[in-house]
Amino acid sequence: METDWSKVFEVFGSGIIGVFLVMILLQLLTQLSTRIIDTIENWNKGEEAEATPKK
Amino acid sequence: MFDILKELIFSSGAVSLTGGNLVMWLVSFVLLYLAIKKQYEPLLLLPIAFGILIVNLPLTFLMEPEHGLIWFFYHYGIEMDIIPPLIFLGLGAMIDFGPLIANPKTMLLGAGAQAGLYVTFFAAVLFGFDLQEAGSIAIIGGADGPTTIYLTSKLAPHLLGATAVSAYAYMALVPIIQPPMMKLLTSEHERKIVMTKLRPVSRLQKICFPIVTGMTIMLVVPPAAPLISMLMLGNLFKESGVVERLTNASANELMNIVTIFLGLSIGATMTATTFLNPKVLFIFFLGLFAFVISTAAGLLMAKFMNLFLKNKINPLIGAAGVSAVPMAARCVHKVGSEANRRNYLLMHAMGPNVAGVIGTVVAAAILLKNLG
Protein backbone atom coordinates (compact mmCIF):
# COMPACT_ATOMS: atom_id res chain seq x y z
CA MET A 1 0.00 0.00 0.00
CA GLU A 2 1.28 3.47 -0.93
CA THR A 3 2.23 5.63 2.07
CA ASP A 4 0.39 8.92 2.30
CA TRP A 5 3.40 11.10 3.12
CA SER A 6 1.40 14.30 3.36
CA LYS A 7 -0.62 12.64 6.14
CA VAL A 8 2.60 11.45 7.82
CA PHE A 9 3.99 14.99 7.90
CA GLU A 10 0.66 16.34 9.07
CA VAL A 11 0.53 13.87 11.99
CA PHE A 12 4.19 14.51 12.81
CA GLY A 13 3.94 18.30 12.75
CA SER A 14 0.54 18.71 14.33
CA GLY A 15 1.48 16.16 17.02
CA ILE A 16 4.64 17.92 18.16
CA ILE A 17 3.10 21.39 17.97
CA GLY A 18 -0.14 20.21 19.59
CA VAL A 19 1.56 18.61 22.59
CA PHE A 20 3.70 21.71 23.19
CA LEU A 21 0.74 24.07 22.89
CA VAL A 22 -1.36 22.06 25.34
CA MET A 23 1.49 21.78 27.84
CA ILE A 24 2.31 25.51 27.57
CA LEU A 25 -1.37 26.28 28.14
CA LEU A 26 -1.37 24.01 31.21
CA GLN A 27 1.79 25.70 32.50
CA LEU A 28 0.24 29.15 32.17
CA LEU A 29 -3.01 28.04 33.79
CA THR A 30 -1.15 26.37 36.66
CA GLN A 31 0.91 29.53 37.24
CA LEU A 32 -2.19 31.71 37.07
CA SER A 33 -4.29 29.55 39.39
CA THR A 34 -1.50 29.21 41.96
CA ARG A 35 -1.00 32.99 41.96
CA ILE A 36 -4.70 33.60 42.47
CA ILE A 37 -4.84 31.04 45.28
CA ASP A 38 -1.69 32.49 46.88
CA THR A 39 -3.25 35.97 46.80
CA ILE A 40 -6.52 34.71 48.33
CA GLU A 41 -4.69 32.74 51.02
CA ASN A 42 -2.42 35.68 51.91
CA TRP A 43 -5.43 38.00 52.06
CA ASN A 44 -7.25 35.54 54.35
CA LYS A 45 -4.19 35.30 56.59
CA GLY A 46 -4.03 39.09 56.77
CA GLU A 47 -7.71 39.29 57.74
CA GLU A 48 -7.28 36.60 60.39
CA ALA A 49 -4.27 38.43 61.83
CA GLU A 50 -6.26 41.68 61.96
CA ALA A 51 -9.22 39.94 63.62
CA THR A 52 -6.98 38.44 66.33
CA PRO A 53 -6.75 40.95 69.22
CA LYS A 54 -3.21 42.11 69.97
CA LYS A 55 -1.87 41.23 73.43
CA MET B 1 -10.49 -49.75 26.48
CA PHE B 2 -7.82 -49.15 23.86
CA ASP B 3 -10.28 -47.12 21.76
CA ILE B 4 -11.13 -44.88 24.71
CA LEU B 5 -7.46 -44.29 25.40
CA LYS B 6 -6.82 -43.60 21.72
CA GLU B 7 -9.72 -41.14 21.59
CA LEU B 8 -8.48 -39.43 24.73
CA ILE B 9 -5.03 -38.97 23.25
CA PHE B 10 -6.28 -37.71 19.89
CA SER B 11 -8.74 -35.28 21.44
CA SER B 12 -6.09 -33.83 23.75
CA GLY B 13 -4.35 -30.56 23.07
CA ALA B 14 -0.97 -32.26 22.97
CA VAL B 15 -1.46 -33.63 19.46
CA SER B 16 -2.37 -30.17 18.16
CA LEU B 17 0.78 -28.54 19.50
CA THR B 18 2.76 -26.57 16.95
CA GLY B 19 6.34 -25.37 16.93
CA GLY B 20 4.98 -21.85 17.36
CA ASN B 21 3.23 -22.85 20.59
CA LEU B 22 6.51 -24.18 21.95
CA VAL B 23 8.33 -20.94 21.07
CA MET B 24 5.61 -18.97 22.84
CA TRP B 25 5.98 -21.20 25.92
CA LEU B 26 9.64 -20.27 25.86
CA VAL B 27 8.74 -16.56 25.66
CA SER B 28 6.38 -17.08 28.59
CA PHE B 29 9.05 -18.85 30.66
CA VAL B 30 11.53 -16.03 29.97
CA LEU B 31 8.99 -13.44 31.14
CA LEU B 32 8.15 -15.55 34.20
CA TYR B 33 11.85 -15.69 34.99
CA LEU B 34 12.22 -11.91 34.59
CA ALA B 35 9.15 -11.30 36.76
CA ILE B 36 9.91 -13.77 39.55
CA LYS B 37 13.69 -13.92 39.68
CA LYS B 38 14.65 -10.43 38.47
CA GLN B 39 11.46 -8.73 39.70
CA TYR B 40 11.12 -6.63 36.50
CA GLU B 41 7.59 -5.15 36.72
CA PRO B 42 6.34 -8.42 38.30
CA LEU B 43 2.81 -7.12 38.87
CA LEU B 44 2.28 -6.96 35.13
CA LEU B 45 4.82 -9.36 33.67
CA LEU B 46 3.67 -12.30 35.77
CA PRO B 47 0.01 -12.31 34.62
CA ILE B 48 1.13 -11.44 31.07
CA ALA B 49 3.52 -14.41 31.02
CA PHE B 50 0.86 -16.73 32.39
CA GLY B 51 -1.64 -15.43 29.83
CA ILE B 52 0.85 -16.22 27.04
CA LEU B 53 1.35 -19.71 28.41
CA ILE B 54 -2.30 -20.70 28.70
CA VAL B 55 -3.42 -19.19 25.43
CA ASN B 56 -0.76 -21.23 23.65
CA LEU B 57 -2.14 -24.49 24.99
CA PRO B 58 -4.12 -25.89 22.04
CA LEU B 59 -7.87 -26.55 22.22
CA THR B 60 -8.38 -24.52 25.39
CA PHE B 61 -10.19 -21.84 23.35
CA LEU B 62 -9.64 -19.28 26.09
CA MET B 63 -9.58 -16.49 23.51
CA GLU B 64 -12.42 -17.91 21.39
CA PRO B 65 -14.75 -14.95 20.64
CA GLU B 66 -18.04 -15.11 22.58
CA HIS B 67 -16.93 -18.29 24.43
CA GLY B 68 -13.44 -18.08 25.92
CA LEU B 69 -13.00 -16.89 29.51
CA ILE B 70 -10.09 -14.57 28.76
CA TRP B 71 -11.79 -13.31 25.62
CA PHE B 72 -14.49 -11.85 27.92
CA PHE B 73 -11.82 -10.13 30.05
CA TYR B 74 -10.22 -8.79 26.88
CA HIS B 75 -13.45 -7.77 25.19
CA TYR B 76 -15.05 -6.02 28.14
CA GLY B 77 -11.85 -4.79 29.74
CA ILE B 78 -9.71 -3.63 26.85
CA GLU B 79 -11.77 -3.48 23.67
CA MET B 80 -14.46 -1.57 25.54
CA ASP B 81 -11.85 0.74 27.12
CA ILE B 82 -12.58 -0.02 30.76
CA ILE B 83 -9.28 -1.26 32.19
CA PRO B 84 -6.78 1.45 31.08
CA PRO B 85 -8.91 4.30 32.52
CA LEU B 86 -9.34 2.36 35.78
CA ILE B 87 -5.56 1.95 36.00
CA PHE B 88 -5.34 5.72 35.57
CA LEU B 89 -7.83 6.19 38.41
CA GLY B 90 -5.51 4.24 40.69
CA LEU B 91 -2.46 6.06 39.35
CA GLY B 92 -4.11 9.42 40.04
CA ALA B 93 -4.79 8.35 43.62
CA MET B 94 -1.07 7.64 44.06
CA ILE B 95 0.49 10.58 42.19
CA ASP B 96 1.57 13.79 43.90
CA PHE B 97 1.35 16.75 41.50
CA GLY B 98 2.92 19.01 44.14
CA PRO B 99 6.39 19.22 42.52
CA LEU B 100 4.79 20.10 39.19
CA ILE B 101 2.59 22.80 40.75
CA ALA B 102 5.62 24.20 42.59
CA ASN B 103 7.62 24.40 39.36
CA PRO B 104 5.19 24.55 36.40
CA LYS B 105 8.08 25.16 33.97
CA THR B 106 8.74 21.44 34.15
CA MET B 107 5.50 20.96 32.22
CA LEU B 108 7.61 21.73 29.13
CA LEU B 109 9.94 18.83 29.90
CA GLY B 110 6.94 16.51 29.84
CA ALA B 111 6.18 17.91 26.39
CA GLY B 112 9.81 17.73 25.23
CA ALA B 113 10.04 13.99 25.86
CA GLN B 114 7.01 13.43 23.63
CA ALA B 115 8.96 14.74 20.64
CA GLY B 116 10.78 11.40 20.59
CA LEU B 117 7.48 9.69 20.17
CA TYR B 118 6.77 11.52 16.92
CA VAL B 119 10.28 10.84 15.62
CA THR B 120 9.56 7.14 16.15
CA PHE B 121 6.25 7.51 14.35
CA PHE B 122 8.18 8.80 11.37
CA ALA B 123 10.76 6.00 11.64
CA ALA B 124 8.09 3.30 11.88
CA VAL B 125 6.44 4.58 8.69
CA LEU B 126 9.84 4.53 6.97
CA PHE B 127 10.22 0.87 7.99
CA GLY B 128 6.96 -0.05 6.29
CA PHE B 129 4.36 0.05 9.07
CA ASP B 130 1.05 1.66 8.19
CA LEU B 131 0.09 4.93 9.92
CA GLN B 132 -2.08 3.32 12.60
CA GLU B 133 0.60 0.75 13.44
CA ALA B 134 3.26 3.48 13.49
CA GLY B 135 1.20 5.52 15.96
CA SER B 136 0.80 2.51 18.26
CA ILE B 137 4.54 1.77 18.16
CA ALA B 138 5.51 5.41 18.71
CA ILE B 139 3.52 5.68 21.94
CA ILE B 140 5.86 3.08 23.52
CA GLY B 141 8.33 5.99 23.80
CA GLY B 142 6.07 7.56 26.40
CA ALA B 143 6.85 4.57 28.67
CA ASP B 144 3.26 4.54 29.81
CA GLY B 145 1.67 1.06 29.75
CA PRO B 146 -2.04 1.94 30.06
CA THR B 147 -1.82 4.72 27.44
CA THR B 148 0.02 2.37 25.07
CA ILE B 149 -2.70 -0.25 25.55
CA TYR B 150 -5.48 2.30 25.17
CA LEU B 151 -4.10 3.72 21.92
CA THR B 152 -3.07 0.39 20.39
CA SER B 153 -6.46 -1.19 21.10
CA LYS B 154 -7.99 1.63 19.05
CA LEU B 155 -5.46 1.94 16.22
CA ALA B 156 -3.84 -1.48 15.75
CA PRO B 157 -5.34 -4.16 18.04
CA HIS B 158 -3.29 -6.92 16.36
CA LEU B 159 -0.13 -5.33 17.82
CA LEU B 160 -1.50 -5.05 21.35
CA GLY B 161 0.59 -7.82 22.91
CA ALA B 162 3.85 -6.65 21.38
CA THR B 163 3.40 -2.94 22.18
CA ALA B 164 2.17 -3.58 25.73
CA VAL B 165 4.96 -6.00 26.62
CA SER B 166 7.46 -3.68 24.99
CA ALA B 167 6.20 -0.65 26.97
CA TYR B 168 6.27 -2.49 30.30
CA ALA B 169 9.63 -4.10 29.57
CA TYR B 170 11.26 -0.75 28.83
CA MET B 171 9.63 0.80 31.90
CA ALA B 172 11.30 -1.91 33.93
CA LEU B 173 14.59 -1.30 32.16
CA VAL B 174 14.67 2.46 32.87
CA PRO B 175 17.66 2.12 35.26
CA ILE B 176 19.61 0.37 32.51
CA ILE B 177 18.57 2.37 29.44
CA GLN B 178 18.47 5.94 30.75
CA PRO B 179 21.78 6.55 32.60
CA PRO B 180 24.04 6.11 29.53
CA MET B 181 21.84 8.58 27.61
CA MET B 182 21.98 11.03 30.51
CA LYS B 183 25.76 10.86 30.69
CA LEU B 184 26.13 11.09 26.93
CA LEU B 185 24.01 14.21 26.54
CA THR B 186 25.05 16.21 29.62
CA SER B 187 28.42 17.49 30.82
CA GLU B 188 29.80 16.80 34.31
CA HIS B 189 29.28 20.49 35.09
CA GLU B 190 25.60 20.32 34.09
CA ARG B 191 24.98 17.19 36.15
CA LYS B 192 26.39 18.98 39.20
CA ILE B 193 23.86 21.82 39.05
CA VAL B 194 22.06 22.08 42.40
CA MET B 195 18.47 23.23 42.10
CA THR B 196 16.84 25.53 44.61
CA LYS B 197 14.35 24.03 47.04
CA LEU B 198 10.79 23.79 45.72
CA ARG B 199 8.29 26.22 47.20
CA PRO B 200 5.56 24.74 49.40
CA VAL B 201 2.23 24.01 47.72
CA SER B 202 -1.00 24.55 49.63
CA ARG B 203 -3.81 22.01 49.88
CA LEU B 204 -6.15 24.29 47.92
CA GLN B 205 -3.66 24.48 45.05
CA LYS B 206 -3.41 20.69 45.00
CA ILE B 207 -7.20 20.39 44.95
CA CYS B 208 -7.60 22.92 42.13
CA PHE B 209 -4.89 21.36 39.94
CA PRO B 210 -6.76 18.19 38.85
CA ILE B 211 -9.93 20.19 38.22
CA VAL B 212 -8.30 22.94 36.14
CA THR B 213 -5.92 20.62 34.29
CA GLY B 214 -8.53 17.95 33.63
CA MET B 215 -11.05 20.46 32.28
CA THR B 216 -8.45 22.16 30.08
CA ILE B 217 -7.16 18.95 28.50
CA MET B 218 -10.63 17.54 27.90
CA LEU B 219 -11.77 20.80 26.31
CA VAL B 220 -8.73 21.05 24.03
CA VAL B 221 -8.23 17.36 23.16
CA PRO B 222 -11.50 15.51 23.88
CA PRO B 223 -10.12 12.06 22.89
CA ALA B 224 -7.96 12.27 26.05
CA ALA B 225 -11.09 12.32 28.22
CA PRO B 226 -11.32 8.63 29.24
CA LEU B 227 -7.77 8.56 30.60
CA ILE B 228 -7.35 12.09 31.88
CA SER B 229 -10.74 12.24 33.60
CA MET B 230 -9.97 9.12 35.62
CA LEU B 231 -6.42 10.29 36.40
CA MET B 232 -7.69 13.60 37.73
CA LEU B 233 -10.60 12.00 39.63
CA GLY B 234 -8.17 9.67 41.41
CA ASN B 235 -5.97 12.64 42.26
CA LEU B 236 -8.92 14.67 43.49
CA PHE B 237 -9.89 11.75 45.77
CA LYS B 238 -6.39 11.87 47.23
CA GLU B 239 -5.96 15.62 47.55
CA SER B 240 -9.45 16.38 48.87
CA GLY B 241 -8.61 14.28 51.92
CA VAL B 242 -12.29 13.61 52.57
CA VAL B 243 -12.71 10.27 50.78
CA GLU B 244 -9.92 8.20 52.23
CA ARG B 245 -11.79 4.96 51.57
CA LEU B 246 -12.20 5.78 47.87
CA THR B 247 -8.55 6.83 47.61
CA ASN B 248 -7.41 3.57 49.16
CA ALA B 249 -9.81 1.51 47.07
CA SER B 250 -8.62 3.19 43.85
CA ALA B 251 -4.92 2.95 44.67
CA ASN B 252 -5.00 -0.57 46.11
CA GLU B 253 -7.93 -2.96 45.64
CA LEU B 254 -9.25 -1.66 42.32
CA MET B 255 -5.76 -1.17 40.89
CA ASN B 256 -4.76 -4.71 41.86
CA ILE B 257 -7.91 -6.28 40.46
CA VAL B 258 -7.72 -4.55 37.09
CA THR B 259 -3.99 -5.29 36.89
CA ILE B 260 -4.79 -9.03 36.99
CA PHE B 261 -7.34 -8.76 34.17
CA LEU B 262 -5.09 -6.42 32.18
CA GLY B 263 -2.06 -8.68 32.41
CA LEU B 264 -3.96 -11.85 31.54
CA SER B 265 -5.76 -10.23 28.62
CA ILE B 266 -2.59 -8.74 27.15
CA GLY B 267 -0.72 -12.03 27.49
CA ALA B 268 -3.60 -13.87 25.87
CA THR B 269 -3.37 -11.73 22.72
CA MET B 270 0.10 -13.17 22.14
CA THR B 271 -0.69 -16.38 20.31
CA ALA B 272 1.96 -17.97 18.10
CA THR B 273 0.11 -16.97 14.92
CA THR B 274 -0.16 -13.27 15.83
CA PHE B 275 3.16 -12.85 17.62
CA LEU B 276 5.71 -14.84 15.67
CA ASN B 277 6.34 -12.74 12.62
CA PRO B 278 9.31 -10.49 11.89
CA LYS B 279 7.15 -7.37 11.77
CA VAL B 280 5.90 -7.84 15.32
CA LEU B 281 9.34 -8.73 16.64
CA PHE B 282 10.73 -5.57 15.01
CA ILE B 283 8.35 -3.60 17.24
CA PHE B 284 10.57 -4.38 20.23
CA PHE B 285 13.47 -2.73 18.47
CA LEU B 286 11.40 0.31 17.48
CA GLY B 287 10.02 0.51 21.03
CA LEU B 288 13.54 0.73 22.38
CA PHE B 289 14.35 3.37 19.77
CA ALA B 290 11.24 5.34 20.85
CA PHE B 291 12.21 5.19 24.50
CA VAL B 292 15.82 6.26 23.85
CA ILE B 293 14.79 9.14 21.59
CA SER B 294 12.17 10.32 24.11
CA THR B 295 14.78 10.33 26.88
CA ALA B 296 17.18 12.27 24.65
CA ALA B 297 14.45 14.75 23.66
CA GLY B 298 13.67 15.43 27.32
CA LEU B 299 17.34 16.03 28.14
CA LEU B 300 17.82 18.34 25.16
CA MET B 301 14.65 20.24 26.06
CA ALA B 302 16.04 20.89 29.55
CA LYS B 303 19.32 22.13 28.06
CA PHE B 304 17.38 24.38 25.68
CA MET B 305 15.36 25.83 28.58
CA ASN B 306 18.59 26.60 30.42
CA LEU B 307 19.54 29.00 27.62
CA PHE B 308 16.75 31.29 28.80
CA LEU B 309 16.48 30.59 32.53
CA LYS B 310 18.13 32.72 35.21
CA ASN B 311 17.95 29.92 37.79
CA LYS B 312 19.36 26.99 35.82
CA ILE B 313 17.72 23.60 36.07
CA ASN B 314 19.72 20.41 36.20
CA PRO B 315 19.21 19.04 32.66
CA LEU B 316 19.08 15.49 34.02
CA ILE B 317 15.50 16.10 35.14
CA GLY B 318 14.54 16.33 31.45
CA ALA B 319 15.02 12.56 31.22
CA ALA B 320 12.17 12.12 33.68
CA GLY B 321 9.83 13.63 31.08
CA VAL B 322 9.04 10.09 29.95
CA SER B 323 6.20 8.95 32.14
CA ALA B 324 7.68 5.90 33.87
CA VAL B 325 6.60 7.05 37.34
CA PRO B 326 8.57 7.03 39.60
CA MET B 327 11.41 4.97 38.13
CA ALA B 328 12.62 7.70 35.77
CA ALA B 329 12.69 10.27 38.61
CA ARG B 330 14.61 7.86 40.86
CA CYS B 331 17.06 7.21 38.05
CA VAL B 332 17.63 10.98 37.60
CA HIS B 333 18.22 11.35 41.32
CA LYS B 334 20.77 8.53 41.31
CA VAL B 335 22.76 9.90 38.37
CA GLY B 336 22.59 13.43 39.83
CA SER B 337 23.84 12.33 43.24
CA GLU B 338 26.71 10.41 41.62
CA ALA B 339 27.89 13.70 40.07
CA ASN B 340 27.33 15.76 43.20
CA ARG B 341 26.60 14.16 46.56
CA ARG B 342 24.79 17.29 47.74
CA ASN B 343 22.37 17.02 44.84
CA TYR B 344 18.88 15.88 45.80
CA LEU B 345 16.97 15.78 42.53
CA LEU B 346 14.15 13.34 43.31
CA MET B 347 11.43 15.91 43.99
CA HIS B 348 12.62 18.15 41.15
CA ALA B 349 12.44 15.17 38.78
CA MET B 350 8.95 14.20 39.96
CA GLY B 351 7.63 17.40 38.29
CA PRO B 352 8.60 16.44 34.74
CA ASN B 353 7.82 12.82 35.54
CA VAL B 354 4.13 13.49 36.28
CA ALA B 355 4.08 16.06 33.45
CA GLY B 356 5.24 13.17 31.26
CA VAL B 357 2.15 11.18 32.23
CA ILE B 358 -0.05 14.09 31.14
CA GLY B 359 2.07 14.71 28.02
CA THR B 360 1.85 11.08 26.90
CA VAL B 361 -1.94 11.08 27.25
CA VAL B 362 -2.15 14.33 25.26
CA ALA B 363 0.17 12.90 22.58
CA ALA B 364 -1.91 9.71 22.40
CA ALA B 365 -5.11 11.72 22.13
CA ILE B 366 -3.68 13.78 19.26
CA LEU B 367 -2.54 10.59 17.49
CA LEU B 368 -6.00 9.13 18.00
CA LYS B 369 -7.63 12.27 16.66
CA ASN B 370 -5.44 12.21 13.53
CA LEU B 371 -5.34 8.47 12.88
CA GLY B 372 -8.41 6.97 14.52
Side-chain angles (χ1 to χ4, degrees):
Chain A
M1 199 179 71
E2 193 75 8
T3 304
D4 181 358
W5 285 103
S6 63
K7 179 78 177 169
V8 174
F9 285 109
E10 184 194 317
V11 173
F12 182 78
S14 67
I16 290 182
I17 295 167
V19 172
F20 269 96
L21 284 181
V22 173
M23 297 305 268
I24 289 170
L25 179 65
L26 291 178
Q27 182 196 335
L28 295 175
L29 282 173
T30 307
Q31 281 171 331
L32 182 69
S33 61
T34 46
R35 273 195 194 168
I36 293 170
I37 293 167
D38 274 344
T39 311
I40 294 169
E41 285 180 335
N42 288 336
W43 188 57
N44 281 347
K45 273 181 200 164
E47 268 199 341
E48 276 170 23
E50 270 179 27
T52 312
K54 285 176 187 170
K55 286 181 184 175
Chain B
M1 176 74 182
F2 180 73
D3 284 344
I4 294 172
L5 197 63
K6 197 175 153 189
E7 199 185 320
L8 188 71
I9 290 170
F10 282 99
S11 66
S12 74
V15 289
S16 304
L17 267 177
T18 63
N21 291 136
L22 296 176
V23 173
M24 291 312 292
W25 287 6
L26 196 65
V27 172
S28 163
F29 293 144
V30 170
L31 293 181
L32 281 172
Y33 171 79
L34 291 176
I36 298 167
K37 181 76 178 168
K38 298 282 180 187
Q39 300 201 0
Y40 287 162
E41 290 282 331
L43 292 176
L44 245 302
L45 277 194
L46 200 119
I48 287 177
F50 199 74
I52 297 171
L53 185 66
I54 57 177
V55 85
N56 284 287
L57 295 169
L59 308 183
T60 54
F61 304 116
L62 287 167
M63 276 298 271
E64 179 84 359
E66 310 282 349
H67 293 289
L69 171 72
I70 302 179
W71 180 84
F72 285 107
F73 297 163
Y74 174 76
H75 178 67
Y76 291 107
I78 293 176
E79 280 189 330
M80 297 184 86
D81 295 335
I82 292 176
I83 291 179
L86 288 180
I87 296 262
F88 260 63
L89 179 73
L91 191 64
M94 290 191 269
I95 276 183
D96 179 11
F97 283 115
L100 182 61
I101 302 169
N103 190 4
K105 283 192 295 285
T106 54
M107 202 74 91
L108 290 176
L109 298 174
Q114 311 312 319
L117 201 144
Y118 286 95
V119 173
T120 310
F121 169 76
F122 202 77
V125 174
L126 280 178
F127 280 110
F129 288 92
D130 68 34
L131 299 190
Q132 281 73 19
E133 290 173 338
S136 303
I137 295 165
I139 202 73
I140 299 170
D144 185 333
T147 308
T148 304
I149 292 162
Y150 179 76
L151 187 70
T152 309
S153 69
K154 300 252 181 224
L155 295 182
H158 57 289
L159 301 183
L160 193 58
T163 54
V165 171
S166 183
Y168 280 107
Y170 296 134
M171 277 164 72
L173 294 175
V174 161
I176 296 166
I177 300 169
Q178 284 203 318
M181 288 301 296
M182 291 176 187
K183 288 174 185 167
L184 186 71
L185 292 173
T186 56
S187 65
E188 181 78 17
H189 172 72
E190 286 173 322
R191 290 196 292 276
K192 282 182 176 171
I193 294 175
V194 177
M195 292 176 68
T196 49
K197 201 180 165 199
L198 290 171
R199 71 175 188 84
V201 176
S202 73
R203 181 171 167 241
L204 184 58
Q205 285 166 345
K206 285 188 175 182
I207 290 173
C208 289
F209 182 82
I211 299 169
V212 173
T213 308
M215 282 177 66
T216 309
I217 295 174
M218 285 185 271
L219 281 172
V220 180
V221 267
L227 295 177
I228 219 74
S229 61
M230 291 295 109
L231 180 75
M232 295 308 170
L233 176 64
N235 194 250
L236 191 58
F237 282 164
K238 175 177 175 275
E239 300 303 348
S240 68
V242 293
V243 284
E244 201 179 334
R245 279 165 51 194
L246 299 186
T247 310
N248 290 337
S250 308
N252 301 313
E253 293 87 351
L254 185 61
M255 185 79 154
N256 292 340
I257 290 166
V258 291
T259 300
I260 296 170
F261 292 127
L262 180 73
L264 262 181
S265 307
I266 295 299
T269 62
M270 293 167 70
T271 56
T273 43
T274 58
F275 192 76
L276 293 177
N277 74 66
K279 202 176 174 183
V280 170
L281 295 176
F282 191 59
I283 289 171
F284 284 90
F285 167 74
L286 278 174
L288 178 63
F289 176 77
F291 190 63
V292 167
I293 297 292
S294 294
T295 302
L299 288 162
L300 294 175
M301 184 69 202
K303 286 169 76 115
F304 179 72
M305 281 169 68
N306 267 349
L307 296 176
F308 307 97
L309 292 173
K310 201 168 73 180
N311 290 327
K312 305 288 181 204
I313 56 172
N314 189 314
L316 288 177
I317 68 167
V322 296
S323 55
V325 181
M327 285 89 78
R330 282 192 196 139
C331 194
V332 166
H333 174 69
K334 189 169 173 281
V335 176
S337 57
E338 277 170 12
N340 180 355
R341 285 176 63 190
R342 288 189 306 120
N343 227 347
Y344 197 83
L345 290 177
L346 186 63
M347 290 317 285
H348 296 286
M350 281 309 291
N353 211 184
V354 292
V357 176
I358 296 172
T360 307
V361 175
V362 171
I366 294 174
L367 279 171
L368 192 58
K369 201 173 174 182
N370 286 327
L371 302 171

